[in-house]
Amino acid sequence: MVEQMKSSRLTKRALWFLFILLVVVAVLFSRFIYIQAAKEVQGTDLKALLEKRWSQTETLEGKRGSIFDKNGEVLAEEIPSYTIIAVLDDRFDSYVSDPQATAKKLSSVLNINQETLEAQLTRDAVQVELGARAKNISYEKKQEVAELKLDGILFREDPRRYYPKQNFASHILGYTERDMSVARMGLESSLDEYLQETDGYITYQKDGKNRRLFNADQVIEEPEDGHNVYLTIDSRIQMAIEQTMNQVDEEFEPERMITIVANATTGEILGMSNRPGFNPNQYENIENYTNFAVTSSFEPGSTMKIFSLAAAIEEGVFDPEETYQSGSYEVTDQTIRDHNQGRGWGEISYLEGVQRSSNVAFSKLALEKLGAETLYGYIDAFGLRDVTGIDLPNESPGLIADQYKVDAATTAFGQATAITPIQQVQAATAIANDGKMMTPYVVDRIVDPTNHEVVYKSEPEVKNQPISEETAEQVLEILETVVSADEGTGRPFAIEGFEVAGKTGTAQIPSEAGGYLRGHGNNIFSFIGMAPADDPEVIVYVAVDRPNLEGDEAGSEPVSMIFKQVMEQSLQYLNIAPSEEEEVSSVQDTIKMGDYEEGVTQEAYDDLSKQGLDVILIGDGETVIKQSHAEGTELMNGEKVILLTDDVDPLVPDMTGWSLRTVYLFEKVTGIDIEVEGSGFVSGQTPSPGSSMEDLNRMMIDLSTEKEHNQSETGVEGDEEATETGEEDDFFMD
């Protein structure tokens, strides 16, 4: 009986175990069926996990778009750079076995303290980077390090942003971080959505040893390169601006400078620069982030009289022969004085008042002839209250004083009202362009590099027509006498062979203590000029703030130095013929470049030299295979011309004293990439003169602003210092 009961209990237990086992098997089977169907465990996609384990995804890097000038010269581009890696782990075949010796050799090449390098090279790590100066280095610097043949020193290639022309138009371009992760300012920032690339990827299957499986499926998402941006900037004109401003900066050490060159009929900005400037390749050293040309509002001084004059002529209230008493003028309880300490010039005509830049003349025009309401109507019509809409970031509007009666008078001659340089240039297009005021712009077009589709195109835009064609013509005629007449304040800005219409300005600078700064040179000296005067094609605006002047030097000297060189070269580059060719001295005659390619080298050299050009031959070949200037280009007497010959192993020329413009002509002719450091004229080069150019792909050029190099390469002699400056000093006195 007992045995039967034991047997029964065992049977029941066995049945329970069997039941539980069946339940467990059923649950596991059900779970297996579920997993097989759903392919998921606790939210984890098993198929994705398997694919991840047995597949590899690699990034296909896109390329940031480049920025070009109007002729296709590169201003900003993505290039490879290199970061130095030091392997410290002795388990590797090549590692830094002698940190002290390695640090000593690297120190001299990288300009890093030897002790700092030793500290890095003795760290307890598998590998290390060697700091900022060993990161994003150039190809030339990488080659210098590689030639040291140091154990454990490797290189990682990374893309970086590079600006081949250094300080060139830096406030227009702006900059990005070297790795292009962030666009910081200028067009790099405002057009980042166009310039930014999109990376792609490739995914493929691999085996257990990370080897790609043959004939396995792969997924490719192609990268998208950023769009290329083409500007209206002409590198030849911009280079003339940069070089001349460097010379003035060296000689007069002003607080700041601004230059703008515009196409008078379209509003295209052909050149723009500021000082202090900066090199976007070395953005850690930026002193001035502000593009003064579009952001800085200040009292314009007498350049404002251009637009007051236009208003008076348009309203029919300007009689050039009518006379008035110059010197001083009472407005309510205040006195306005002419710039010669209120002495004036006696009773003179209004035409002479314009030529002499009389504050009294323009105050009387504003209050007695036009009336304040009409004057301000023209201020608005010329766009001097509003932003121009130029396609550059951080533009400022004008600040027009219009609260009191005297404000109309001071605004008419350019005081107590603040406007930007670009507003003045826009307003000047109405004077130069038959009364039609053009919107300024710097972006010509944006192009998709994959299919060359133009995704954005700028077109000249008439912003307004504040005056008639007849009025514009009369204003130009009068402004031409400001430069040509004996009484004119603009005489230092005359250019031989061309008639220039323009107006000088001497703006006072508000003092933090109240009133205005006093003392010789404590002004913003400016000039806005248009040429040729009878039908202007170019507008040039120059402002120089507080130059360091000697007692006998006028504020017009640094301004005219920039204006004349920039205007002359702009007219030359745009193939605008002199208006009075018979009066142009032989030293300023232009020479039209011929076609010498495939010609005999010696014959080409003799012909060009005979015409007065400075010919540089690259190689000793018998045939010219490339020339620096296209056929038909007009050149100045003494200008450098480069001819590349068919020599199989030409030698590097001595570039000492060359301007940056000539350096880039050499780059264009030879195809050698040139990296430039500094500004001014060539003071050093790598490789050295006389080295072989065979297999030479890149050169390093050092520039400096040493005065012995500051000689014009055009061969045009400098103008004699004006004995009578005609300088004005506009001011308002109680």
Side-chain angles (χ1 to χ4, degrees):
M1 186 71 179
V2 174
E3 290 180 358
Q4 289 180 345
M5 290 179 64
K6 287 182 178 179
S7 177
S8 175
R9 283 197 297 270
L10 288 171
T11 301
K12 287 181 180 180
R13 287 176 182 173
L15 290 173
W16 273 109
F17 279 125
L18 179 61
F19 175 75
I20 292 171
L21 180 62
L22 290 174
V23 170
V24 170
V25 170
V27 169
L28 291 175
F29 185 74
S30 300
R31 181 63 173 165
F32 177 76
I33 296 297
Y34 170 78
I35 291 173
Q36 189 175 36
K39 296 180 177 62
E40 185 176 289
V41 175
Q42 295 181 346
T44 301
D45 189 329
L46 296 179
K47 183 178 180 181
L49 182 63
L50 186 64
E51 288 180 353
K52 182 178 180 181
R53 177 168 296 178
W54 298 102
S55 65
Q56 178 76 34
T57 298
E58 295 179 2
T59 299
L60 302 176
E61 293 184 344
K63 186 176 182 181
R64 185 173 178 84
S66 298
I67 302 177
F68 301 88
D69 84 334
K70 71 181 304 172
N71 300 313
E73 290 194 35
V74 178
L75 305 181
E77 62 181 335
E78 178 181 315
I79 66 168
S81 66
Y82 304 89
T83 296
I84 298 176
I85 306 292
V87 179
L88 308 182
D89 195 326
D90 59 10
R91 289 176 297 177
F92 290 87
D93 292 337
S94 178
Y95 70 98
V96 178
S97 57
D98 189 343
Q100 185 177 13
T102 301
K104 183 177 181 180
K105 291 181 179 180
L106 286 175
S107 175
S108 60
V109 175
L110 299 176
N111 196 24
I112 302 176
N113 181 273
Q114 183 177 339
E115 293 179 357
T116 301
L117 285 172
E118 276 191 53
Q120 288 284 82
L121 296 174
T122 53
R123 286 172 55 187
D124 184 16
V126 175
Q127 63 181 39
V128 294
E129 294 184 11
L130 301 181
R133 290 187 178 177
K135 189 178 180 67
N136 296 125
I137 63 174
S138 67
Y139 174 79
E140 289 76 19
K141 187 67 68 176
K142 178 227 176 192
Q143 289 298 99
E144 282 188 66
V145 175
E147 287 172 3
L148 297 175
K149 297 180 180 179
L150 299 171
D151 290 339
I153 298 300
L154 308 176
F155 302 93
R156 184 184 71 235
E157 182 175 318
D158 300 306
R160 75 172 171 112
R161 199 62 165 169
Y162 180 62
Y163 304 88
K165 295 184 184 293
Q166 312 297 315
N167 296 52
F168 189 97
S170 53
H171 284 97
I172 293 178
L173 299 175
Y175 72 94
T176 71
E177 297 286 338
R178 285 189 182 84
D179 61 3
M180 298 171 290
S181 58
V182 181
R184 292 294 184 186
M185 63 179 283
L187 293 176
E188 289 276 30
S189 176
S190 63
L191 297 180
D192 191 47
E193 61 178 305
Y194 290 103
L195 292 164
Q196 186 66 257
E197 77 283 3
T198 301
D199 289 341
Y201 63 87
I202 178 171
T203 301
Y204 55 86
Q205 292 179 314
K206 62 179 182 177
D207 63 16
K209 294 184 178 180
N210 287 325
R211 295 175 300 193
R212 187 170 181 170
L213 296 179
F214 182 69
N215 283 336
D217 293 337
Q218 63 181 20
V219 177
I220 300 177
E221 182 70 29
E222 294 288 350
E224 295 181 12
D225 292 342
H227 293 143
N228 293 329
V229 175
Y230 291 81
L231 306 183
T232 60
I233 299 297
D234 187 317
S235 285
R236 300 170 301 176
I237 293 173
Q238 185 71 31
M239 190 65 68
I241 294 173
E242 303 290 358
Q243 289 181 340
T244 313
M245 290 179 77
N246 285 341
Q247 293 174 23
V248 170
D249 201 24
E250 177 76 13
E251 184 171 345
F252 293 95
E253 300 178 344
E255 293 293 319
R256 58 179 178 164
M257 291 186 285
I258 306 157
T259 301
I260 304 172
V261 180
N263 183 312
T265 58
T266 65
E268 292 173 288
I269 300 301
L270 304 176
M272 177 187 290
S273 190
N274 300 272
R275 292 294 182 277
F278 66 91
N279 182 347
N281 295 312
Q282 301 168 357
Y283 53 76
E284 300 89 349
N285 303 321
I286 295 179
E287 176 184 349
N288 165 45
Y289 288 88
T290 304
N291 185 352
F292 299 129
V294 300
T295 300
S296 183
S297 297
F298 53 86
E299 295 183 12
S302 290
T303 53
M304 188 74 160
K305 293 172 181 174
I306 295 174
F307 315 115
S308 303
L309 172 64
I313 293 175
E314 182 73 10
E315 290 296 309
V317 298
F318 180 80
D319 180 355
E321 303 303 322
E322 182 183 352
T323 61
Y324 72 99
Q325 183 63 41
S326 64
S328 62
Y329 181 62
E330 299 297 324
V331 180
T332 59
D333 59 343
Q334 296 171 310
T335 302
I336 290 173
R337 293 182 171 86
D338 278 324
H339 58 77
N340 59 353
Q341 304 299 320
R343 295 188 304 273
W345 306 272
E347 185 174 330
I348 60 175
S349 69
Y350 275 95
L351 175 60
E352 187 174 339
V354 175
Q355 294 167 345
R356 292 188 181 276
S357 197
S358 167
N359 297 335
V360 171
F362 282 88
S363 298
K364 292 173 74 69
L365 285 173
L367 297 179
E368 298 179 12
K369 305 288 187 179
L370 282 167
E373 184 177 349
T374 302
L375 173 69
Y376 288 123
Y378 279 95
I379 293 294
D380 293 341
F382 277 110
L384 298 176
R385 289 186 195 269
D386 305 319
V387 296
T388 66
I390 188 172
D391 41 9
L392 288 171
N394 304 319
E395 184 182 6
S396 298
L399 302 171
I400 307 300
D402 57 6
Q403 188 174 0
Y404 305 105
K405 179 180 179 180
V406 72
D407 288 339
T410 57
T411 294
F413 64 76
Q415 189 171 324
T417 279
I419 56 178
T420 63
I422 197 63
Q423 285 179 304
Q424 296 185 62
V425 170
Q426 176 183 257
T429 61
I431 308 300
N433 192 39
D434 299 331
K436 298 181 181 68
M437 186 170 72
M438 309 303 293
T439 301
Y441 62 99
V442 298
V443 178
D444 178 67
R445 64 191 185 279
I446 301 175
V447 179
D448 185 337
T450 57
N451 55 18
H452 306 293
E453 177 187 356
V454 177
V455 299
Y456 171 83
K457 181 74 174 78
S458 295
E459 298 293 344
E461 176 191 358
V462 178
K463 174 70 71 67
N464 196 15
Q465 183 156 356
I467 56 175
S468 66
E469 181 179 345
E470 293 73 24
T471 294
E473 185 177 340
Q474 291 180 58
V475 174
L476 285 172
E477 290 175 356
I478 293 172
L479 293 180
E480 191 280 326
T481 69
V482 171
V483 178
S484 63
D486 290 340
E487 301 81 10
T489 59
R491 281 179 302 142
F493 300 88
I495 297 175
E496 191 171 7
F498 290 95
E499 291 183 345
V500 176
K503 186 72 192 73
T504 50
T506 306
Q508 292 183 281
I509 302 171
S511 170
E512 293 181 2
Y516 291 96
L517 295 178
R518 297 295 179 187
H520 187 52
N522 279 332
N523 299 88
I524 300 175
F525 303 96
S526 63
F527 185 78
I528 187 165
M530 296 158 271
D534 59 343
D535 186 16
E537 295 192 46
V538 181
I539 298 171
V540 176
Y541 172 90
V542 179
V544 179
D545 183 356
R546 285 164 286 178
N548 185 9
L549 301 173
E550 300 294 335
D552 59 345
E553 288 180 323
S556 59
E557 290 192 33
V559 180
S560 64
M561 185 184 298
I562 297 172
F563 173 82
K564 293 174 71 172
Q565 290 195 43
V566 171
M567 179 61 89
E568 281 181 352
Q569 294 195 42
S570 297
L571 294 170
Q572 172 197 338
Y573 293 142
L574 297 174
N575 294 321
I576 299 170
S579 53
E580 299 175 17
E581 294 184 34
E582 69 278 4
E583 295 184 12
V584 182
S585 64
S586 60
V587 75
Q588 287 184 303
D589 285 341
T590 57
I591 301 158
K592 196 165 278 190
M593 184 70 176
D595 181 8
Y596 296 95
E597 293 182 1
E598 306 303 326
V600 177
T601 300
Q602 191 60 50
E603 292 178 1
Y605 179 87
D606 292 342
D607 187 43
L608 290 168
S609 299
K610 191 179 298 182
Q611 294 181 65
L613 295 171
D614 184 0
V615 185
I616 300 170
L617 294 178
I618 307 299
D620 295 325
E622 296 182 357
T623 304
V624 176
I625 59 175
K626 198 166 186 180
Q627 61 190 51
S628 57
H629 297 79
E631 181 183 9
T633 303
E634 292 193 355
L635 305 170
M636 298 294 288
N637 189 287
E639 191 163 348
K640 281 184 167 56
V641 172
I642 302 176
L643 302 179
L644 178 65
T645 72
D646 59 356
D647 189 343
V648 294
D649 187 15
L651 303 181
V652 174
D654 184 355
M655 299 182 177
T656 304
W658 285 17
S659 69
L660 187 56
R661 181 158 59 99
T662 305
V663 171
Y664 284 129
L665 287 175
F666 176 82
E667 180 182 46
K668 172 185 172 184
V669 168
T670 62
I672 297 171
D673 290 333
I674 294 182
E675 188 165 336
V676 178
E677 293 289 342
S679 61
F681 295 80
V682 177
S683 57
Q685 64 186 85
T686 304
S688 59
S691 303
S692 172
M693 287 174 55
E694 187 177 11
D695 299 325
L696 181 62
N697 297 316
R698 193 178 292 261
M699 291 183 66
M700 281 287 296
I701 298 295
D702 294 318
L703 303 180
S704 72
T705 54
E706 293 297 321
K707 289 189 176 181
E708 59 264 24
H709 297 310
N710 285 355
Q711 298 174 354
S712 169
E713 295 201 11
T714 63
V716 181
E717 296 175 357
D719 295 282
E720 293 181 3
E721 183 176 358
T723 55
E724 295 181 32
T725 66
E727 176 190 4
E728 52 186 297
D729 188 10
D730 297 341
F731 58 88
F732 170 80
M733 299 181 64
D734 294 331

